[in-house]
Amino acid sequence: MSILYFIALFFLGYLALSVLYLAVFAVAGRLGRADDHYPSSQPLVYKKIGVLIPAYKEDAVIIDSVAANLKQNYPADKFELIVIADSFQPHTLAKLATMPVRVIVVAFEKSTVSKALNAALAQIPDDQYEILVVSDADNHMAPDFLSRINTAFAQGWKAVQGHRVAKNTDTSVAVLDAISEEINNHIFRKGSRALGLASSIIGSGMAFEPALMKKGMADLHTMGGYDKELEMNIILAGNGIAYLEDAFVYDEKVAKQAVFENQRTRWIAAQWQFLTHYFRRGVTEFVNGRMASAFKVIQAMVLPRVLLLGILFVCILLGLLTGHTALWLIPLLSLAMLCVSLYISVPDYLRKRISTRELMLVPVLMLRFARAIFNMRKAFKSFMPTPHTNTPDPSSDKA
């Protein structure tokens, strides 16, 4: 048999292992439980919480978000919203000045979330807050979010990820983006915790012990994927990360194809930068049996699911043309396993939103994703922020 045949088998083996990884964690997410299903026996003590809100040119959404996030079922003197305002209009800053929030104005030649957070952290003494929460400018925390975070820290956790769900499902792109978010929650957060590994964090709706966050943020290498590095640094320091399934944060999903492509370009670039920096460290962690950190690098090596679906389908067609059974059977079985894994990872309320229109859009987003890979060098040079429009969908409360 030719060398090309064995190269093809090797590639199909990589795809099959990627699908197996997702399948194991998807099943674990079905069988396991998140960390907020374990009641706390600790007395109720309200810790002082600072909510960091990094915001770059978010004049359109920040006022409504601040107003919504002030409505917490948590003592008003025990939490403070801290808006990190980058490139805001004067009228927005003036409006924020009338609200009971702290505003830290920052400016950078090249803005990133990590720069904004580090600038704010530099102005916050370690003992000013007992918990630091990170929330995006468009995020609306559920009224009991901080209370649930407080309970988790009373149990001894130093790093916690909440359950981020869609604030809007008003377009087909937004529906599919919401589904992608919930699949991530099921596999990489609930599934990881069910297997005894650290939950993945996602950039917002997360909380940390201040000293731990400052240390984890001190040495970052990616332009737009600080959360992956922060997660890795926390785990390398020997800490776990909890996942709270009932601590909801409502996040605006992308509603247009062009915005989807822009956002995925930034994510792919961040994943590539993370891999290039941490791959060797991941191999070392794996060899030494430190699986909590090794699995985070392995996770970064798994192809995005939209690409997996498209590549496996193409491999089936090419395999049929070659006449070699293994070259179409392996991707066929892998595709079937992937579809089952994704199906069991999607919550019922979002399954009901899937129609022919959304299914027909999937191939289009596959092509958008493929183009994002070729454009990822753009994200190495600039942050490429995702624009927000402040158009919440009331149906998101079904989550």
Side-chain angles (χ1 to χ4, degrees), residues 162-195:
H163 187 170
R164 204 170 75 174
V165 296
K167 186 169 64 174
N168 61 302
T169 52
D170 49 335
T171 69
S172 294
V173 175
V175 170
L176 292 176
D177 197 21
I179 289 172
S180 178
E181 179 94 280
E182 285 289 33
I183 290 173
N184 284 335
N185 287 330
H186 181 89
I187 293 176
F188 299 126
R189 283 170 266 287
K190 189 176 179 181
S192 291
R193 291 300 303 131
L195 293 174

PDB file of all heavy atoms in Angstrom, residues 162-195:
ATOM      1  N   GLY A 162     -19.298  30.070  36.067  1.00  0.00           N
ATOM      2  CA  GLY A 162     -20.750  29.997  36.055  1.00  0.00           C
ATOM      3  C   GLY A 162     -21.269  29.471  34.736  1.00  0.00           C
ATOM      4  O   GLY A 162     -20.510  29.118  33.829  1.00  0.00           O
ATOM      5  N   HIS A 163     -22.580  29.404  34.612  1.00  0.00           N
ATOM      6  CA  HIS A 163     -23.251  28.846  33.432  1.00  0.00           C
ATOM      7  C   HIS A 163     -23.661  29.995  32.515  1.00  0.00           C
ATOM      8  O   HIS A 163     -24.669  30.668  32.747  1.00  0.00           O
ATOM      9  CB  HIS A 163     -24.473  28.049  33.877  1.00  0.00           C
ATOM     10  CG  HIS A 163     -25.143  27.298  32.774  1.00  0.00           C
ATOM     11  ND1 HIS A 163     -26.140  26.367  33.008  1.00  0.00           N
ATOM     12  CD2 HIS A 163     -24.972  27.309  31.434  1.00  0.00           C
ATOM     13  CE1 HIS A 163     -26.538  25.862  31.857  1.00  0.00           C
ATOM     14  NE2 HIS A 163     -25.848  26.431  30.886  1.00  0.00           N
ATOM     15  N   ARG A 164     -22.886  30.212  31.467  1.00  0.00           N
ATOM     16  CA  ARG A 164     -23.191  31.271  30.519  1.00  0.00           C
ATOM     17  C   ARG A 164     -24.141  30.749  29.450  1.00  0.00           C
ATOM     18  O   ARG A 164     -23.869  29.720  28.825  1.00  0.00           O
ATOM     19  CB  ARG A 164     -21.901  31.804  29.865  1.00  0.00           C
ATOM     20  CG  ARG A 164     -22.040  33.209  29.353  1.00  0.00           C
ATOM     21  CD  ARG A 164     -20.707  33.792  28.938  1.00  0.00           C
ATOM     22  NE  ARG A 164     -20.239  33.238  27.665  1.00  0.00           N
ATOM     23  CZ  ARG A 164     -19.144  33.664  27.023  1.00  0.00           C
ATOM     24  NH1 ARG A 164     -18.404  34.613  27.563  1.00  0.00           N
ATOM     25  NH2 ARG A 164     -18.788  33.134  25.886  1.00  0.00           N
ATOM     26  N   VAL A 165     -25.244  31.445  29.262  1.00  0.00           N
ATOM     27  CA  VAL A 165     -26.260  31.035  28.295  1.00  0.00           C
ATOM     28  C   VAL A 165     -26.624  32.224  27.401  1.00  0.00           C
ATOM     29  O   VAL A 165     -26.254  33.365  27.672  1.00  0.00           O
ATOM     30  CB  VAL A 165     -27.533  30.498  28.990  1.00  0.00           C
ATOM     31  CG1 VAL A 165     -27.242  29.234  29.770  1.00  0.00           C
ATOM     32  CG2 VAL A 165     -28.126  31.560  29.911  1.00  0.00           C
ATOM     33  N   ALA A 166     -27.364  31.937  26.348  1.00  0.00           N
ATOM     34  CA  ALA A 166     -27.699  32.962  25.358  1.00  0.00           C
ATOM     35  C   ALA A 166     -28.705  33.959  25.907  1.00  0.00           C
ATOM     36  O   ALA A 166     -29.714  33.587  26.509  1.00  0.00           O
ATOM     37  CB  ALA A 166     -28.241  32.311  24.096  1.00  0.00           C
ATOM     38  N   LYS A 167     -28.442  35.238  25.647  1.00  0.00           N
ATOM     39  CA  LYS A 167     -29.385  36.299  25.961  1.00  0.00           C
ATOM     40  C   LYS A 167     -30.326  36.535  24.788  1.00  0.00           C
ATOM     41  O   LYS A 167     -31.425  37.074  24.948  1.00  0.00           O
ATOM     42  CB  LYS A 167     -28.606  37.574  26.297  1.00  0.00           C
ATOM     43  CG  LYS A 167     -29.444  38.735  26.794  1.00  0.00           C
ATOM     44  CD  LYS A 167     -28.568  39.861  27.351  1.00  0.00           C
ATOM     45  CE  LYS A 167     -27.699  40.481  26.283  1.00  0.00           C
ATOM     46  NZ  LYS A 167     -26.956  41.671  26.799  1.00  0.00           N
ATOM     47  N   ASN A 168     -29.902  36.119  23.600  1.00  0.00           N
ATOM     48  CA  ASN A 168     -30.713  36.336  22.390  1.00  0.00           C
ATOM     49  C   ASN A 168     -30.631  35.116  21.478  1.00  0.00           C
ATOM     50  O   ASN A 168     -29.579  34.496  21.328  1.00  0.00           O
ATOM     51  CB  ASN A 168     -30.209  37.554  21.625  1.00  0.00           C
ATOM     52  CG  ASN A 168     -28.768  37.378  21.168  1.00  0.00           C
ATOM     53  OD1 ASN A 168     -27.869  37.164  21.982  1.00  0.00           O
ATOM     54  ND2 ASN A 168     -28.538  37.458  19.867  1.00  0.00           N
ATOM     55  N   THR A 169     -31.759  34.753  20.906  1.00  0.00           N
ATOM     56  CA  THR A 169     -31.819  33.700  19.882  1.00  0.00           C
ATOM     57  C   THR A 169     -32.732  34.187  18.763  1.00  0.00           C
ATOM     58  O   THR A 169     -33.628  33.481  18.308  1.00  0.00           O
ATOM     59  CB  THR A 169     -32.344  32.369  20.474  1.00  0.00           C
ATOM     60  OG1 THR A 169     -33.575  32.606  21.170  1.00  0.00           O
ATOM     61  CG2 THR A 169     -31.339  31.753  21.431  1.00  0.00           C
ATOM     62  N   ASP A 170     -32.487  35.418  18.322  1.00  0.00           N
ATOM     63  CA  ASP A 170     -33.380  36.082  17.375  1.00  0.00           C
ATOM     64  C   ASP A 170     -33.041  35.821  15.920  1.00  0.00           C
ATOM     65  O   ASP A 170     -33.799  36.210  15.035  1.00  0.00           O
ATOM     66  CB  ASP A 170     -33.401  37.590  17.646  1.00  0.00           C
ATOM     67  CG  ASP A 170     -32.002  38.175  17.773  1.00  0.00           C
ATOM     68  OD1 ASP A 170     -31.078  37.422  18.131  1.00  0.00           O
ATOM     69  OD2 ASP A 170     -31.832  39.381  17.536  1.00  0.00           O
ATOM     70  N   THR A 171     -31.903  35.177  15.636  1.00  0.00           N
ATOM     71  CA  THR A 171     -31.554  34.803  14.265  1.00  0.00           C
ATOM     72  C   THR A 171     -31.053  33.366  14.269  1.00  0.00           C
ATOM     73  O   THR A 171     -30.719  32.810  15.330  1.00  0.00           O
ATOM     74  CB  THR A 171     -30.450  35.709  13.681  1.00  0.00           C
ATOM     75  OG1 THR A 171     -29.208  35.434  14.355  1.00  0.00           O
ATOM     76  CG2 THR A 171     -30.801  37.183  13.823  1.00  0.00           C
ATOM     77  N   SER A 172     -30.955  32.770  13.095  1.00  0.00           N
ATOM     78  CA  SER A 172     -30.469  31.394  13.002  1.00  0.00           C
ATOM     79  C   SER A 172     -29.019  31.283  13.457  1.00  0.00           C
ATOM     80  O   SER A 172     -28.625  30.301  14.083  1.00  0.00           O
ATOM     81  CB  SER A 172     -30.606  30.881  11.565  1.00  0.00           C
ATOM     82  OG  SER A 172     -31.962  30.771  11.191  1.00  0.00           O
ATOM     83  N   VAL A 173     -28.218  32.309  13.133  1.00  0.00           N
ATOM     84  CA  VAL A 173     -26.820  32.300  13.576  1.00  0.00           C
ATOM     85  C   VAL A 173     -26.757  32.331  15.099  1.00  0.00           C
ATOM     86  O   VAL A 173     -25.966  31.606  15.719  1.00  0.00           O
ATOM     87  CB  VAL A 173     -26.052  33.493  12.980  1.00  0.00           C
ATOM     88  CG1 VAL A 173     -24.631  33.552  13.538  1.00  0.00           C
ATOM     89  CG2 VAL A 173     -26.000  33.395  11.462  1.00  0.00           C
ATOM     90  N   ALA A 174     -27.612  33.152  15.716  1.00  0.00           N
ATOM     91  CA  ALA A 174     -27.629  33.241  17.173  1.00  0.00           C
ATOM     92  C   ALA A 174     -28.062  31.920  17.802  1.00  0.00           C
ATOM     93  O   ALA A 174     -27.522  31.507  18.837  1.00  0.00           O
ATOM     94  CB  ALA A 174     -28.556  34.372  17.621  1.00  0.00           C
ATOM     95  N   VAL A 175     -29.036  31.252  17.198  1.00  0.00           N
ATOM     96  CA  VAL A 175     -29.473  29.944  17.706  1.00  0.00           C
ATOM     97  C   VAL A 175     -28.324  28.948  17.678  1.00  0.00           C
ATOM     98  O   VAL A 175     -28.060  28.232  18.662  1.00  0.00           O
ATOM     99  CB  VAL A 175     -30.668  29.414  16.889  1.00  0.00           C
ATOM    100  CG1 VAL A 175     -30.962  27.957  17.258  1.00  0.00           C
ATOM    101  CG2 VAL A 175     -31.902  30.264  17.129  1.00  0.00           C
ATOM    102  N   LEU A 176     -27.608  28.891  16.554  1.00  0.00           N
ATOM    103  CA  LEU A 176     -26.498  27.944  16.439  1.00  0.00           C
ATOM    104  C   LEU A 176     -25.348  28.322  17.370  1.00  0.00           C
ATOM    105  O   LEU A 176     -24.672  27.440  17.931  1.00  0.00           O
ATOM    106  CB  LEU A 176     -26.011  27.886  14.989  1.00  0.00           C
ATOM    107  CG  LEU A 176     -27.002  27.270  13.996  1.00  0.00           C
ATOM    108  CD1 LEU A 176     -26.448  27.345  12.572  1.00  0.00           C
ATOM    109  CD2 LEU A 176     -27.306  25.815  14.361  1.00  0.00           C
ATOM    110  N   ASP A 177     -25.120  29.613  17.564  1.00  0.00           N
ATOM    111  CA  ASP A 177     -24.087  30.050  18.504  1.00  0.00           C
ATOM    112  C   ASP A 177     -24.478  29.686  19.932  1.00  0.00           C
ATOM    113  O   ASP A 177     -23.636  29.285  20.742  1.00  0.00           O
ATOM    114  CB  ASP A 177     -23.875  31.560  18.371  1.00  0.00           C
ATOM    115  CG  ASP A 177     -22.569  32.026  18.991  1.00  0.00           C
ATOM    116  OD1 ASP A 177     -21.654  31.184  19.170  1.00  0.00           O
ATOM    117  OD2 ASP A 177     -22.439  33.219  19.293  1.00  0.00           O
ATOM    118  N   ALA A 178     -25.770  29.826  20.262  1.00  0.00           N
ATOM    119  CA  ALA A 178     -26.257  29.435  21.582  1.00  0.00           C
ATOM    120  C   ALA A 178     -26.091  27.933  21.801  1.00  0.00           C
ATOM    121  O   ALA A 178     -25.719  27.485  22.890  1.00  0.00           O
ATOM    122  CB  ALA A 178     -27.727  29.827  21.736  1.00  0.00           C
ATOM    123  N   ILE A 179     -26.354  27.154  20.764  1.00  0.00           N
ATOM    124  CA  ILE A 179     -26.183  25.697  20.849  1.00  0.00           C
ATOM    125  C   ILE A 179     -24.711  25.357  21.078  1.00  0.00           C
ATOM    126  O   ILE A 179     -24.372  24.506  21.913  1.00  0.00           O
ATOM    127  CB  ILE A 179     -26.709  25.022  19.574  1.00  0.00           C
ATOM    128  CG1 ILE A 179     -28.237  25.095  19.543  1.00  0.00           C
ATOM    129  CG2 ILE A 179     -26.240  23.576  19.476  1.00  0.00           C
ATOM    130  CD1 ILE A 179     -28.848  24.619  18.238  1.00  0.00           C
ATOM    131  N   SER A 180     -23.821  26.038  20.347  1.00  0.00           N
ATOM    132  CA  SER A 180     -22.394  25.810  20.522  1.00  0.00           C
ATOM    133  C   SER A 180     -21.959  26.108  21.952  1.00  0.00           C
ATOM    134  O   SER A 180     -21.170  25.361  22.545  1.00  0.00           O
ATOM    135  CB  SER A 180     -21.608  26.682  19.534  1.00  0.00           C
ATOM    136  OG  SER A 180     -20.217  26.531  19.713  1.00  0.00           O
ATOM    137  N   GLU A 181     -22.472  27.197  22.512  1.00  0.00           N
ATOM    138  CA  GLU A 181     -22.154  27.566  23.899  1.00  0.00           C
ATOM    139  C   GLU A 181     -22.583  26.479  24.869  1.00  0.00           C
ATOM    140  O   GLU A 181     -21.828  26.088  25.771  1.00  0.00           O
ATOM    141  CB  GLU A 181     -22.848  28.875  24.243  1.00  0.00           C
ATOM    142  CG  GLU A 181     -22.611  29.363  25.667  1.00  0.00           C
ATOM    143  CD  GLU A 181     -21.454  30.334  25.766  1.00  0.00           C
ATOM    144  OE1 GLU A 181     -20.298  29.871  25.795  1.00  0.00           O
ATOM    145  OE2 GLU A 181     -21.715  31.543  25.803  1.00  0.00           O
ATOM    146  N   GLU A 182     -23.812  25.967  24.687  1.00  0.00           N
ATOM    147  CA  GLU A 182     -24.316  24.955  25.615  1.00  0.00           C
ATOM    148  C   GLU A 182     -23.589  23.616  25.450  1.00  0.00           C
ATOM    149  O   GLU A 182     -23.413  22.880  26.419  1.00  0.00           O
ATOM    150  CB  GLU A 182     -25.824  24.773  25.432  1.00  0.00           C
ATOM    151  CG  GLU A 182     -26.655  25.910  26.012  1.00  0.00           C
ATOM    152  CD  GLU A 182     -26.672  25.935  27.532  1.00  0.00           C
ATOM    153  OE1 GLU A 182     -25.664  25.569  28.176  1.00  0.00           O
ATOM    154  OE2 GLU A 182     -27.711  26.328  28.084  1.00  0.00           O
ATOM    155  N   ILE A 183     -23.164  23.292  24.241  1.00  0.00           N
ATOM    156  CA  ILE A 183     -22.356  22.080  24.045  1.00  0.00           C
ATOM    157  C   ILE A 183     -21.038  22.217  24.797  1.00  0.00           C
ATOM    158  O   ILE A 183     -20.578  21.273  25.450  1.00  0.00           O
ATOM    159  CB  ILE A 183     -22.118  21.825  22.547  1.00  0.00           C
ATOM    160  CG1 ILE A 183     -23.431  21.404  21.868  1.00  0.00           C
ATOM    161  CG2 ILE A 183     -21.066  20.738  22.338  1.00  0.00           C
ATOM    162  CD1 ILE A 183     -23.332  21.282  20.355  1.00  0.00           C
ATOM    163  N   ASN A 184     -20.433  23.390  24.715  1.00  0.00           N
ATOM    164  CA  ASN A 184     -19.207  23.636  25.474  1.00  0.00           C
ATOM    165  C   ASN A 184     -19.436  23.496  26.968  1.00  0.00           C
ATOM    166  O   ASN A 184     -18.610  22.918  27.695  1.00  0.00           O
ATOM    167  CB  ASN A 184     -18.671  25.042  25.168  1.00  0.00           C
ATOM    168  CG  ASN A 184     -17.991  25.122  23.818  1.00  0.00           C
ATOM    169  OD1 ASN A 184     -17.500  24.131  23.300  1.00  0.00           O
ATOM    170  ND2 ASN A 184     -17.960  26.312  23.242  1.00  0.00           N
ATOM    171  N   ASN A 185     -20.555  24.050  27.445  1.00  0.00           N
ATOM    172  CA  ASN A 185     -20.884  23.926  28.870  1.00  0.00           C
ATOM    173  C   ASN A 185     -21.004  22.462  29.277  1.00  0.00           C
ATOM    174  O   ASN A 185     -20.510  22.053  30.323  1.00  0.00           O
ATOM    175  CB  ASN A 185     -22.198  24.648  29.171  1.00  0.00           C
ATOM    176  CG  ASN A 185     -22.061  26.162  29.141  1.00  0.00           C
ATOM    177  OD1 ASN A 185     -21.007  26.707  29.435  1.00  0.00           O
ATOM    178  ND2 ASN A 185     -23.136  26.839  28.768  1.00  0.00           N
ATOM    179  N   HIS A 186     -21.665  21.683  28.440  1.00  0.00           N
ATOM    180  CA  HIS A 186     -21.916  20.274  28.762  1.00  0.00           C
ATOM    181  C   HIS A 186     -20.630  19.452  28.735  1.00  0.00           C
ATOM    182  O   HIS A 186     -20.371  18.658  29.644  1.00  0.00           O
ATOM    183  CB  HIS A 186     -22.929  19.691  27.776  1.00  0.00           C
ATOM    184  CG  HIS A 186     -23.272  18.271  28.043  1.00  0.00           C
ATOM    185  ND1 HIS A 186     -24.293  17.886  28.885  1.00  0.00           N
ATOM    186  CD2 HIS A 186     -22.724  17.109  27.578  1.00  0.00           C
ATOM    187  CE1 HIS A 186     -24.361  16.568  28.934  1.00  0.00           C
ATOM    188  NE2 HIS A 186     -23.423  16.078  28.144  1.00  0.00           N
ATOM    189  N   ILE A 187     -19.824  19.631  27.687  1.00  0.00           N
ATOM    190  CA  ILE A 187     -18.643  18.788  27.495  1.00  0.00           C
ATOM    191  C   ILE A 187     -17.456  19.268  28.317  1.00  0.00           C
ATOM    192  O   ILE A 187     -16.864  18.495  29.087  1.00  0.00           O
ATOM    193  CB  ILE A 187     -18.267  18.740  26.003  1.00  0.00           C
ATOM    194  CG1 ILE A 187     -19.356  18.006  25.208  1.00  0.00           C
ATOM    195  CG2 ILE A 187     -16.916  18.047  25.804  1.00  0.00           C
ATOM    196  CD1 ILE A 187     -19.119  17.987  23.706  1.00  0.00           C
ATOM    197  N   PHE A 188     -17.093  20.537  28.172  1.00  0.00           N
ATOM    198  CA  PHE A 188     -15.834  21.024  28.738  1.00  0.00           C
ATOM    199  C   PHE A 188     -15.960  21.556  30.158  1.00  0.00           C
ATOM    200  O   PHE A 188     -14.946  21.797  30.816  1.00  0.00           O
ATOM    201  CB  PHE A 188     -15.246  22.110  27.848  1.00  0.00           C
ATOM    202  CG  PHE A 188     -14.926  21.619  26.460  1.00  0.00           C
ATOM    203  CD1 PHE A 188     -15.442  22.273  25.353  1.00  0.00           C
ATOM    204  CD2 PHE A 188     -14.147  20.495  26.264  1.00  0.00           C
ATOM    205  CE1 PHE A 188     -15.158  21.824  24.074  1.00  0.00           C
ATOM    206  CE2 PHE A 188     -13.869  20.029  24.991  1.00  0.00           C
ATOM    207  CZ  PHE A 188     -14.376  20.696  23.888  1.00  0.00           C
ATOM    208  N   ARG A 189     -17.189  21.721  30.626  1.00  0.00           N
ATOM    209  CA  ARG A 189     -17.366  22.158  31.994  1.00  0.00           C
ATOM    210  C   ARG A 189     -18.015  21.068  32.852  1.00  0.00           C
ATOM    211  O   ARG A 189     -17.372  20.480  33.710  1.00  0.00           O
ATOM    212  CB  ARG A 189     -18.176  23.469  32.007  1.00  0.00           C
ATOM    213  CG  ARG A 189     -17.289  24.653  31.604  1.00  0.00           C
ATOM    214  CD  ARG A 189     -18.020  25.929  31.361  1.00  0.00           C
ATOM    215  NE  ARG A 189     -18.356  26.122  29.952  1.00  0.00           N
ATOM    216  CZ  ARG A 189     -17.466  26.430  29.011  1.00  0.00           C
ATOM    217  NH1 ARG A 189     -16.183  26.532  29.307  1.00  0.00           N
ATOM    218  NH2 ARG A 189     -17.848  26.631  27.771  1.00  0.00           N
ATOM    219  N   LYS A 190     -19.262  20.728  32.563  1.00  0.00           N
ATOM    220  CA  LYS A 190     -19.918  19.687  33.360  1.00  0.00           C
ATOM    221  C   LYS A 190     -19.248  18.324  33.154  1.00  0.00           C
ATOM    222  O   LYS A 190     -19.014  17.583  34.112  1.00  0.00           O
ATOM    223  CB  LYS A 190     -21.397  19.602  32.980  1.00  0.00           C
ATOM    224  CG  LYS A 190     -22.205  18.711  33.909  1.00  0.00           C
ATOM    225  CD  LYS A 190     -23.684  18.746  33.536  1.00  0.00           C
ATOM    226  CE  LYS A 190     -24.500  17.838  34.449  1.00  0.00           C
ATOM    227  NZ  LYS A 190     -25.942  17.851  34.069  1.00  0.00           N
ATOM    228  N   GLY A 191     -18.912  17.990  31.909  1.00  0.00           N
ATOM    229  CA  GLY A 191     -18.253  16.717  31.637  1.00  0.00           C
ATOM    230  C   GLY A 191     -16.896  16.632  32.297  1.00  0.00           C
ATOM    231  O   GLY A 191     -16.522  15.588  32.855  1.00  0.00           O
ATOM    232  N   SER A 192     -16.137  17.713  32.244  1.00  0.00           N
ATOM    233  CA  SER A 192     -14.812  17.728  32.886  1.00  0.00           C
ATOM    234  C   SER A 192     -14.933  17.519  34.385  1.00  0.00           C
ATOM    235  O   SER A 192     -14.173  16.748  34.980  1.00  0.00           O
ATOM    236  CB  SER A 192     -14.107  19.058  32.603  1.00  0.00           C
ATOM    237  OG  SER A 192     -13.742  19.160  31.241  1.00  0.00           O
ATOM    238  N   ARG A 193     -15.876  18.201  35.011  1.00  0.00           N
ATOM    239  CA  ARG A 193     -16.037  18.042  36.454  1.00  0.00           C
ATOM    240  C   ARG A 193     -16.508  16.631  36.812  1.00  0.00           C
ATOM    241  O   ARG A 193     -16.108  16.071  37.838  1.00  0.00           O
ATOM    242  CB  ARG A 193     -17.046  19.076  36.984  1.00  0.00           C
ATOM    243  CG  ARG A 193     -16.554  20.498  36.933  1.00  0.00           C
ATOM    244  CD  ARG A 193     -15.274  20.703  37.773  1.00  0.00           C
ATOM    245  NE  ARG A 193     -15.508  20.306  39.154  1.00  0.00           N
ATOM    246  CZ  ARG A 193     -14.708  19.503  39.840  1.00  0.00           C
ATOM    247  NH1 ARG A 193     -13.618  18.965  39.292  1.00  0.00           N
ATOM    248  NH2 ARG A 193     -14.999  19.203  41.099  1.00  0.00           N
ATOM    249  N   ALA A 194     -17.352  16.043  35.959  1.00  0.00           N
ATOM    250  CA  ALA A 194     -17.819  14.680  36.227  1.00  0.00           C
ATOM    251  C   ALA A 194     -16.664  13.682  36.226  1.00  0.00           C
ATOM    252  O   ALA A 194     -16.707  12.663  36.920  1.00  0.00           O
ATOM    253  CB  ALA A 194     -18.860  14.274  35.181  1.00  0.00           C
ATOM    254  N   LEU A 195     -15.612  13.982  35.458  1.00  0.00           N
ATOM    255  CA  LEU A 195     -14.443  13.101  35.384  1.00  0.00           C
ATOM    256  C   LEU A 195     -13.348  13.521  36.358  1.00  0.00           C
ATOM    257  O   LEU A 195     -12.234  12.986  36.307  1.00  0.00           O
ATOM    258  CB  LEU A 195     -13.893  13.095  33.955  1.00  0.00           C
ATOM    259  CG  LEU A 195     -14.807  12.461  32.903  1.00  0.00           C
ATOM    260  CD1 LEU A 195     -14.238  12.645  31.509  1.00  0.00           C
ATOM    261  CD2 LEU A 195     -15.005  10.974  33.201  1.00  0.00           C
TER     262      LEU A 195
END
